[in-house]
Amino acid sequence: MEYEIIVVGGGHAGCEASLAAARLGHKTLLVTGNFKNIADMPCNPSIGGSAKGIVVREIDALGGEMGKNADRSLIQMKMLNYKKGPAVQALRAQGDKIIYPKNMINTLNSTENLTLKEAIVEDLIVENNKVGGVILEDGTKITSNAVILTTGTYLKADILVGDTRRREGPHGEKPSNHLSEHLEQLGFQIIRLKTGTPPRIAKNSIDFSKTKEEKGDDIPRTFSFDLDPFYKVEDQVSCHLIYTNDTTHEIIRENLHKASMYGGLNDIKGVGPRYCPSIEDKVVRFHEKERHQLFLEPESRYYDDIYLQGFSTSMPHDIQDLMVHSLEGLENAEILKYAYAIEYDALYPTQLKQTLETKLIENLYTAGQINGTSGYEEAACQGLIAGINASLKLSGKEPFILKRNDAYIGVLIDDLVTKGVRDPYRLLTSRAEYRLLLRHDNADLRLREYGYQIGLIDENKYKRLQNKKQQMKELEEFLKEHKVTPVKEVNEYLEQIGSSALKDGITLFDLLKRPEINMEHLRHFIEFHYAEEVEEQVSIQIKYEGYIAKARKEAEKMLKLEDKKIPEDINYDDIKNIASEARQKLKEVNPTSIGQALRISGVNPADISILMVYLKKEHK
């Protein structure tokens, strides 16, 4: 074989997949249609966000690149939901669209075992239901032991604006016109999805006096557990908040029939993202709302395009002009790039194993938007997992599968392969039933051990993790050993900070359980110093001890069901009395465990009971 692993596509999924494969010692080829689009951010100029920011931390904890690259490339950083509980806190960085891809390309080019090639993949080499490489547009064959498809929105991509349809990718490039056809010929179910992007506005044409400034945090932060901040808080670039108004909504309603999705085009099959709708969708679906918030987000320090977050549309250009100019502060705005929708092919993801290997073709993996997801972060984490599992399989090792209580990455992949998608999948905190366990702050404690065992985390990073765990243990013991008593000075201080006076002696450990008490308050009674991340971890674990214990107990119940395996060769037609819909769904997903079977839409507890009786009787 010329290569051990070929990765098709140079977006966020492709970068993580190829880096993981190469770093694990496999001769890897990354094939992409245009070098200039490697690690490109074709839509919003940000990395992270609600739930997504936790995924970036998980990628870093496992040894991936996105978090480090975001830290090196950001122009603003914020902790979302900072005043809320730790389960919903997440980082969001404004990334520089020039620097982010530049840094990633440098990383790819300096990685051993990794070769980059500019070409379009037309087809796959498949023999006996096993992939053996790729066929390029010019007919060139490149052989490999495994292939990872990370084609993003480029499979039969169509740009939609008003009543026009153009067969091209996000930047006007030539899309992949035949690969999805060949996948369909191999037996894969292909679906059509849609997403969109808003206009870009010239910075000097905006009246910022009519907007609300949104600054970055005054505390430097990083996604990566291994890097110090690369920026000074005072050097961050601000975003700005504005709102739609009655005039904006009236323009949209009057011209709704001209939007691609509302009559401008009659042949659209793609389903758009439910949780990131176009502005015309918002006006129609939420007609009772008087306004919708929009953010003016800078795309780079090196050019002046401003991304109009929340204003995605497929309206004709002349209507977009009217819509934009109706916004306060944008009355004289110059549109540098008009909004558009994009329709593309994807694989229905229940055709994948939990490793992201396809069920139909051995050693063929898929990751990113080809699996029905939206978002850079969702793509990157899938690329990392596909790269890891392709490498492990070629090395004859056990696959790496994250469970729902391990990581948001585990939630995402389980949702995809178990439930499928109706529209582009976006991660939300509400999708994770164990979100108190899957926090931003503890991603390294949850996942770094896995990264070390796999081989993507080196000895030094692993030792730092072990040292952090030891320091946490020491601090917890210290807090249990030291007490404060109800003397006058103690009670006066507690009342001063809004806490109730003591009647009996209490350990610092138990005192910290009070919501209004923090580590700094404890230092008033006795001096101690540990690293900030150590104190944060111990504080969260003490304050939320009961809730965390309850979540772990629930997770343990789920794990018992995951341990009840279903044989691969089970014939669901042999099971009597099971509902016909359940039978169909079980055959489609072919779950590996009772736990996964329970999560399949259309499979009821009664069906599970019948299945378990059958397994006990027929598969002892």
Short mmCIF file of all heavy atoms in Angstrom, two decimals, residues 423-467:
data_model
loop_
_atom_site.label_atom_id
_atom_site.label_comp_id
_atom_site.label_asym_id
_atom_site.label_seq_id
_atom_site.Cartn_x
_atom_site.Cartn_y
_atom_site.Cartn_z
N ASP A 423 -32.14 16.92 10.70
CA ASP A 423 -31.57 18.18 10.26
C ASP A 423 -30.14 18.22 10.78
O ASP A 423 -29.76 17.39 11.60
CB ASP A 423 -32.40 19.35 10.81
CG ASP A 423 -32.61 19.25 12.30
OD1 ASP A 423 -31.69 19.63 13.05
OD2 ASP A 423 -33.67 18.76 12.73
N PRO A 424 -29.31 19.17 10.32
CA PRO A 424 -27.92 19.22 10.79
C PRO A 424 -27.84 19.24 12.32
O PRO A 424 -28.40 20.11 12.97
CB PRO A 424 -27.38 20.51 10.17
CG PRO A 424 -28.18 20.67 8.91
CD PRO A 424 -29.57 20.19 9.27
N TYR A 425 -27.13 18.28 12.86
CA TYR A 425 -27.04 18.07 14.31
C TYR A 425 -26.12 19.09 14.95
O TYR A 425 -25.00 19.30 14.52
CB TYR A 425 -26.52 16.66 14.58
CG TYR A 425 -26.34 16.30 16.05
CD1 TYR A 425 -27.31 15.55 16.72
CD2 TYR A 425 -25.21 16.70 16.75
CE1 TYR A 425 -27.14 15.20 18.05
CE2 TYR A 425 -25.04 16.36 18.09
CZ TYR A 425 -26.01 15.61 18.73
OH TYR A 425 -25.84 15.28 20.05
N ARG A 426 -26.61 19.71 16.02
CA ARG A 426 -25.81 20.66 16.78
C ARG A 426 -25.80 20.24 18.24
O ARG A 426 -26.83 19.90 18.81
CB ARG A 426 -26.40 22.07 16.66
CG ARG A 426 -25.63 23.12 17.46
CD ARG A 426 -26.30 24.48 17.34
NE ARG A 426 -25.59 25.48 18.10
CZ ARG A 426 -25.97 26.76 18.20
NH1 ARG A 426 -27.05 27.16 17.55
NH2 ARG A 426 -25.27 27.61 18.90
N LEU A 427 -24.62 20.27 18.86
CA LEU A 427 -24.52 19.90 20.26
C LEU A 427 -25.13 20.97 21.15
O LEU A 427 -24.93 22.16 20.94
CB LEU A 427 -23.04 19.71 20.65
CG LEU A 427 -22.56 18.27 20.74
CD1 LEU A 427 -21.09 18.24 21.07
CD2 LEU A 427 -23.34 17.46 21.76
N LEU A 428 -25.88 20.53 22.15
CA LEU A 428 -26.48 21.41 23.14
C LEU A 428 -26.26 20.77 24.51
O LEU A 428 -26.19 19.55 24.63
CB LEU A 428 -27.99 21.55 22.90
CG LEU A 428 -28.44 22.02 21.52
CD1 LEU A 428 -29.92 21.75 21.34
CD2 LEU A 428 -28.14 23.50 21.35
N THR A 429 -26.17 21.60 25.57
CA THR A 429 -25.99 21.03 26.90
C THR A 429 -27.17 20.13 27.27
O THR A 429 -27.01 19.15 27.99
CB THR A 429 -25.84 22.14 27.95
OG1 THR A 429 -26.92 23.06 27.83
CG2 THR A 429 -24.53 22.88 27.77
N SER A 430 -28.36 20.45 26.75
CA SER A 430 -29.55 19.66 27.08
C SER A 430 -29.51 18.25 26.51
O SER A 430 -30.26 17.38 26.93
CB SER A 430 -30.81 20.38 26.57
OG SER A 430 -30.75 20.56 25.17
N ARG A 431 -28.63 18.00 25.55
CA ARG A 431 -28.53 16.64 24.98
C ARG A 431 -27.79 15.68 25.94
O ARG A 431 -27.88 14.46 25.78
CB ARG A 431 -27.79 16.69 23.64
CG ARG A 431 -28.51 17.44 22.53
CD ARG A 431 -27.82 17.17 21.20
NE ARG A 431 -28.28 18.03 20.12
CZ ARG A 431 -29.32 17.77 19.34
NH1 ARG A 431 -30.03 16.68 19.55
NH2 ARG A 431 -29.65 18.59 18.37
N ALA A 432 -27.04 16.24 26.88
CA ALA A 432 -26.23 15.41 27.78
C ALA A 432 -26.94 15.22 29.11
O ALA A 432 -27.08 16.17 29.89
CB ALA A 432 -24.86 16.06 27.99
N GLU A 433 -27.39 14.01 29.38
CA GLU A 433 -28.12 13.75 30.62
C GLU A 433 -27.21 13.77 31.84
O GLU A 433 -27.66 13.91 32.97
CB GLU A 433 -28.88 12.42 30.54
CG GLU A 433 -28.03 11.21 30.27
CD GLU A 433 -27.85 10.90 28.79
OE1 GLU A 433 -27.56 11.83 28.01
OE2 GLU A 433 -27.99 9.73 28.42
N TYR A 434 -25.89 13.64 31.62
CA TYR A 434 -24.93 13.66 32.72
C TYR A 434 -24.04 14.91 32.64
O TYR A 434 -22.84 14.86 32.91
CB TYR A 434 -24.06 12.40 32.70
CG TYR A 434 -24.87 11.13 32.60
CD1 TYR A 434 -24.82 10.33 31.46
CD2 TYR A 434 -25.71 10.74 33.64
CE1 TYR A 434 -25.58 9.18 31.37
CE2 TYR A 434 -26.47 9.59 33.56
CZ TYR A 434 -26.41 8.82 32.42
OH TYR A 434 -27.16 7.68 32.33
N ARG A 435 -24.64 16.03 32.27
CA ARG A 435 -23.84 17.23 32.00
C ARG A 435 -23.10 17.76 33.23
O ARG A 435 -22.09 18.44 33.08
CB ARG A 435 -24.68 18.34 31.38
CG ARG A 435 -25.93 18.75 32.11
CD ARG A 435 -26.73 19.74 31.25
NE ARG A 435 -28.05 19.96 31.80
CZ ARG A 435 -29.12 19.21 31.56
NH1 ARG A 435 -28.99 18.15 30.77
NH2 ARG A 435 -30.30 19.48 32.07
N LEU A 436 -23.57 17.44 34.45
CA LEU A 436 -22.82 17.87 35.62
C LEU A 436 -21.49 17.12 35.73
O LEU A 436 -20.53 17.62 36.33
CB LEU A 436 -23.65 17.65 36.90
CG LEU A 436 -23.06 18.19 38.20
CD1 LEU A 436 -22.75 19.69 38.09
CD2 LEU A 436 -23.99 17.94 39.37
N LEU A 437 -21.42 15.94 35.12
CA LEU A 437 -20.16 15.19 35.08
C LEU A 437 -19.27 15.64 33.94
O LEU A 437 -18.04 15.48 34.00
CB LEU A 437 -20.44 13.68 34.93
CG LEU A 437 -21.33 13.02 35.98
CD1 LEU A 437 -21.50 11.54 35.65
CD2 LEU A 437 -20.76 13.20 37.38
N LEU A 438 -19.88 16.19 32.88
CA LEU A 438 -19.15 16.53 31.66
C LEU A 438 -18.89 18.04 31.59
O LEU A 438 -19.36 18.73 30.70
CB LEU A 438 -19.96 16.09 30.42
CG LEU A 438 -20.49 14.65 30.43
CD1 LEU A 438 -21.23 14.35 29.14
CD2 LEU A 438 -19.34 13.66 30.63
N ARG A 439 -18.12 18.53 32.54
CA ARG A 439 -17.93 19.97 32.66
C ARG A 439 -16.70 20.45 31.91
O ARG A 439 -15.78 19.68 31.61
CB ARG A 439 -17.81 20.36 34.14
CG ARG A 439 -18.97 19.90 35.01
CD ARG A 439 -18.85 20.43 36.42
NE ARG A 439 -17.56 20.18 37.02
CZ ARG A 439 -17.24 19.07 37.69
NH1 ARG A 439 -18.12 18.08 37.81
NH2 ARG A 439 -16.03 18.93 38.22
N HIS A 440 -16.70 21.76 31.65
CA HIS A 440 -15.54 22.42 31.04
C HIS A 440 -14.29 22.22 31.88
O HIS A 440 -13.21 21.96 31.35
CB HIS A 440 -15.87 23.93 30.91
CG HIS A 440 -14.67 24.82 30.92
ND1 HIS A 440 -14.02 25.20 29.77
CD2 HIS A 440 -13.99 25.40 31.95
CE1 HIS A 440 -13.00 25.97 30.09
NE2 HIS A 440 -12.96 26.11 31.40
N ASP A 441 -14.43 22.33 33.20
CA ASP A 441 -13.27 22.37 34.08
C ASP A 441 -12.59 21.02 34.26
O ASP A 441 -11.42 20.96 34.62
CB ASP A 441 -13.67 22.93 35.45
CG ASP A 441 -14.74 22.07 36.11
OD1 ASP A 441 -14.40 21.10 36.80
OD2 ASP A 441 -15.94 22.37 35.91
N ASN A 442 -13.31 19.90 34.04
CA ASN A 442 -12.74 18.60 34.39
C ASN A 442 -12.46 17.72 33.17
O ASN A 442 -12.30 16.51 33.29
CB ASN A 442 -13.64 17.85 35.37
CG ASN A 442 -14.95 17.40 34.74
OD1 ASN A 442 -15.25 17.73 33.59
ND2 ASN A 442 -15.74 16.63 35.49
N ALA A 443 -12.39 18.31 31.98
CA ALA A 443 -12.17 17.51 30.76
C ALA A 443 -10.86 16.74 30.83
O ALA A 443 -10.77 15.60 30.35
CB ALA A 443 -12.20 18.41 29.52
N ASP A 444 -9.83 17.34 31.42
CA ASP A 444 -8.55 16.63 31.52
C ASP A 444 -8.65 15.45 32.48
O ASP A 444 -8.10 14.37 32.22
CB ASP A 444 -7.43 17.58 31.94
CG ASP A 444 -7.69 18.27 33.28
OD1 ASP A 444 -8.86 18.38 33.69
OD2 ASP A 444 -6.71 18.73 33.91
N LEU A 445 -9.36 15.63 33.59
CA LEU A 445 -9.52 14.54 34.56
C LEU A 445 -10.33 13.39 33.97
O LEU A 445 -10.12 12.23 34.31
CB LEU A 445 -10.21 15.06 35.83
CG LEU A 445 -9.46 16.16 36.59
CD1 LEU A 445 -10.32 16.72 37.71
CD2 LEU A 445 -8.13 15.64 37.13
N ARG A 446 -11.26 13.72 33.08
CA ARG A 446 -12.10 12.69 32.46
C ARG A 446 -11.39 11.94 31.34
O ARG A 446 -11.57 10.73 31.17
CB ARG A 446 -13.36 13.33 31.87
CG ARG A 446 -14.34 13.85 32.90
CD ARG A 446 -15.61 14.36 32.24
NE ARG A 446 -15.50 15.70 31.67
CZ ARG A 446 -15.65 16.03 30.41
NH1 ARG A 446 -15.91 15.09 29.51
NH2 ARG A 446 -15.57 17.28 30.01
N LEU A 447 -10.55 12.65 30.57
CA LEU A 447 -10.13 12.09 29.28
C LEU A 447 -8.62 11.98 29.04
O LEU A 447 -8.20 11.26 28.14
CB LEU A 447 -10.74 12.92 28.15
CG LEU A 447 -12.27 12.99 28.12
CD1 LEU A 447 -12.74 13.95 27.04
CD2 LEU A 447 -12.86 11.61 27.88
N ARG A 448 -7.83 12.71 29.82
CA ARG A 448 -6.38 12.72 29.50
C ARG A 448 -5.74 11.35 29.67
O ARG A 448 -4.83 10.99 28.93
CB ARG A 448 -5.69 13.77 30.36
CG ARG A 448 -4.23 13.95 30.03
CD ARG A 448 -3.81 15.39 29.95
NE ARG A 448 -4.19 16.01 28.70
CZ ARG A 448 -3.66 17.15 28.23
NH1 ARG A 448 -2.76 17.79 28.93
NH2 ARG A 448 -4.04 17.65 27.09
N GLU A 449 -6.25 10.57 30.60
CA GLU A 449 -5.73 9.20 30.79
C GLU A 449 -5.93 8.39 29.51
O GLU A 449 -5.05 7.64 29.09
CB GLU A 449 -6.46 8.54 31.95
CG GLU A 449 -5.95 7.17 32.32
CD GLU A 449 -4.94 7.20 33.46
OE1 GLU A 449 -5.03 8.08 34.33
OE2 GLU A 449 -4.06 6.33 33.44
N TYR A 450 -7.11 8.55 28.88
CA TYR A 450 -7.36 7.86 27.60
C TYR A 450 -6.35 8.31 26.54
O TYR A 450 -5.82 7.49 25.79
CB TYR A 450 -8.77 8.17 27.10
CG TYR A 450 -9.90 7.57 27.90
CD1 TYR A 450 -11.00 8.35 28.25
CD2 TYR A 450 -9.89 6.25 28.31
CE1 TYR A 450 -12.06 7.83 28.98
CE2 TYR A 450 -10.94 5.71 29.05
CZ TYR A 450 -12.02 6.51 29.38
OH TYR A 450 -13.06 5.98 30.10
N GLY A 451 -6.14 9.63 26.46
CA GLY A 451 -5.20 10.15 25.48
C GLY A 451 -3.80 9.60 25.67
O GLY A 451 -3.09 9.31 24.70
N TYR A 452 -3.42 9.41 26.92
CA TYR A 452 -2.10 8.85 27.23
C TYR A 452 -2.03 7.38 26.82
O TYR A 452 -1.04 6.93 26.21
CB TYR A 452 -1.84 9.00 28.73
CG TYR A 452 -0.55 8.38 29.21
CD1 TYR A 452 0.68 8.93 28.86
CD2 TYR A 452 -0.57 7.24 30.03
CE1 TYR A 452 1.87 8.35 29.31
CE2 TYR A 452 0.59 6.67 30.49
CZ TYR A 452 1.83 7.23 30.12
OH TYR A 452 2.99 6.66 30.57
N GLN A 453 -3.08 6.63 27.12
CA GLN A 453 -3.09 5.20 26.77
C GLN A 453 -3.07 5.01 25.25
O GLN A 453 -2.43 4.09 24.74
CB GLN A 453 -4.33 4.54 27.38
CG GLN A 453 -4.29 4.44 28.89
CD GLN A 453 -5.63 4.04 29.49
OE1 GLN A 453 -6.61 3.81 28.78
NE2 GLN A 453 -5.67 3.94 30.81
N ILE A 454 -3.76 5.88 24.54
CA ILE A 454 -3.81 5.79 23.08
C ILE A 454 -2.46 6.14 22.47
O ILE A 454 -2.03 5.54 21.48
CB ILE A 454 -4.91 6.72 22.52
CG1 ILE A 454 -6.30 6.17 22.88
CG2 ILE A 454 -4.79 6.90 21.01
CD1 ILE A 454 -7.41 7.19 22.71
N GLY A 455 -1.77 7.13 23.06
CA GLY A 455 -0.47 7.54 22.55
C GLY A 455 -0.41 8.96 22.03
O GLY A 455 0.58 9.37 21.44
N LEU A 456 -1.46 9.74 22.28
CA LEU A 456 -1.49 11.13 21.81
C LEU A 456 -1.10 12.12 22.91
O LEU A 456 -0.92 13.31 22.64
CB LEU A 456 -2.88 11.49 21.27
CG LEU A 456 -3.28 10.81 19.95
CD1 LEU A 456 -4.72 11.15 19.59
CD2 LEU A 456 -2.33 11.20 18.82
N ILE A 457 -1.00 11.66 24.15
CA ILE A 457 -0.56 12.49 25.26
C ILE A 457 0.78 11.97 25.74
O ILE A 457 0.93 10.79 26.06
CB ILE A 457 -1.59 12.45 26.43
CG1 ILE A 457 -2.91 13.09 25.99
CG2 ILE A 457 -1.04 13.12 27.67
CD1 ILE A 457 -2.82 14.57 25.65
N ASP A 458 1.80 12.87 25.77
CA ASP A 458 3.15 12.41 26.12
C ASP A 458 3.33 12.30 27.64
O ASP A 458 2.46 12.65 28.42
CB ASP A 458 4.21 13.33 25.50
CG ASP A 458 4.16 14.76 26.02
OD1 ASP A 458 3.76 14.97 27.19
OD2 ASP A 458 4.53 15.68 25.27
N GLU A 459 4.50 11.82 28.02
CA GLU A 459 4.80 11.54 29.42
C GLU A 459 4.74 12.79 30.29
O GLU A 459 4.23 12.75 31.43
CB GLU A 459 6.20 10.90 29.52
CG GLU A 459 6.43 10.12 30.80
CD GLU A 459 5.58 8.86 30.90
OE1 GLU A 459 5.41 8.16 29.88
OE2 GLU A 459 5.10 8.59 32.02
N ASN A 460 5.25 13.91 29.79
CA ASN A 460 5.27 15.15 30.58
C ASN A 460 3.85 15.64 30.89
O ASN A 460 3.55 16.04 32.02
CB ASN A 460 6.04 16.25 29.86
CG ASN A 460 7.53 16.00 29.87
OD1 ASN A 460 8.05 15.33 30.78
ND2 ASN A 460 8.24 16.52 28.89
N LYS A 461 2.99 15.61 29.88
CA LYS A 461 1.59 16.03 30.08
C LYS A 461 0.88 15.10 31.05
O LYS A 461 0.08 15.53 31.88
CB LYS A 461 0.86 16.08 28.74
CG LYS A 461 1.37 17.15 27.79
CD LYS A 461 0.73 17.03 26.42
CE LYS A 461 1.35 18.04 25.45
NZ LYS A 461 0.85 17.83 24.07
N TYR A 462 1.19 13.83 30.93
CA TYR A 462 0.56 12.84 31.81
C TYR A 462 1.02 13.04 33.26
O TYR A 462 0.22 12.95 34.20
CB TYR A 462 0.89 11.43 31.34
CG TYR A 462 0.22 10.35 32.14
CD1 TYR A 462 -1.17 10.22 32.14
CD2 TYR A 462 0.98 9.46 32.90
CE1 TYR A 462 -1.79 9.22 32.88
CE2 TYR A 462 0.36 8.46 33.64
CZ TYR A 462 -1.02 8.35 33.63
OH TYR A 462 -1.63 7.37 34.35
N LYS A 463 2.30 13.35 33.45
CA LYS A 463 2.81 13.60 34.79
C LYS A 463 2.17 14.84 35.41
O LYS A 463 1.90 14.87 36.62
CB LYS A 463 4.33 13.75 34.74
CG LYS A 463 5.08 12.44 34.59
CD LYS A 463 6.58 12.65 34.53
CE LYS A 463 7.32 11.32 34.37
NZ LYS A 463 8.79 11.50 34.24
N ARG A 464 1.91 15.86 34.59
CA ARG A 464 1.23 17.06 35.10
C ARG A 464 -0.18 16.71 35.58
O ARG A 464 -0.65 17.23 36.59
CB ARG A 464 1.17 18.14 34.02
CG ARG A 464 2.49 18.85 33.79
CD ARG A 464 2.28 20.24 33.21
NE ARG A 464 1.62 20.23 31.93
CZ ARG A 464 2.24 20.07 30.77
NH1 ARG A 464 3.56 19.92 30.74
NH2 ARG A 464 1.57 20.08 29.64
N LEU A 465 -0.85 15.83 34.83
CA LEU A 465 -2.18 15.39 35.24
C LEU A 465 -2.11 14.66 36.58
O LEU A 465 -2.92 14.91 37.48
CB LEU A 465 -2.78 14.46 34.17
CG LEU A 465 -4.11 13.79 34.56
CD1 LEU A 465 -5.23 14.83 34.63
CD2 LEU A 465 -4.46 12.69 33.56
N GLN A 466 -1.14 13.76 36.72
CA GLN A 466 -1.00 13.01 37.97
C GLN A 466 -0.69 13.93 39.14
O GLN A 466 -1.20 13.75 40.25
CB GLN A 466 0.10 11.94 37.83
CG GLN A 466 -0.19 10.87 36.78
CD GLN A 466 -1.51 10.18 37.01
OE1 GLN A 466 -2.47 10.38 36.29
NE2 GLN A 466 -1.58 9.36 38.05
N ASN A 467 0.14 14.93 38.89
CA ASN A 467 0.47 15.90 39.93
C ASN A 467 -0.76 16.70 40.34
O ASN A 467 -0.98 16.96 41.53
CB ASN A 467 1.57 16.84 39.43
CG ASN A 467 1.97 17.85 40.48
OD1 ASN A 467 2.44 17.49 41.57
ND2 ASN A 467 1.78 19.13 40.18
#
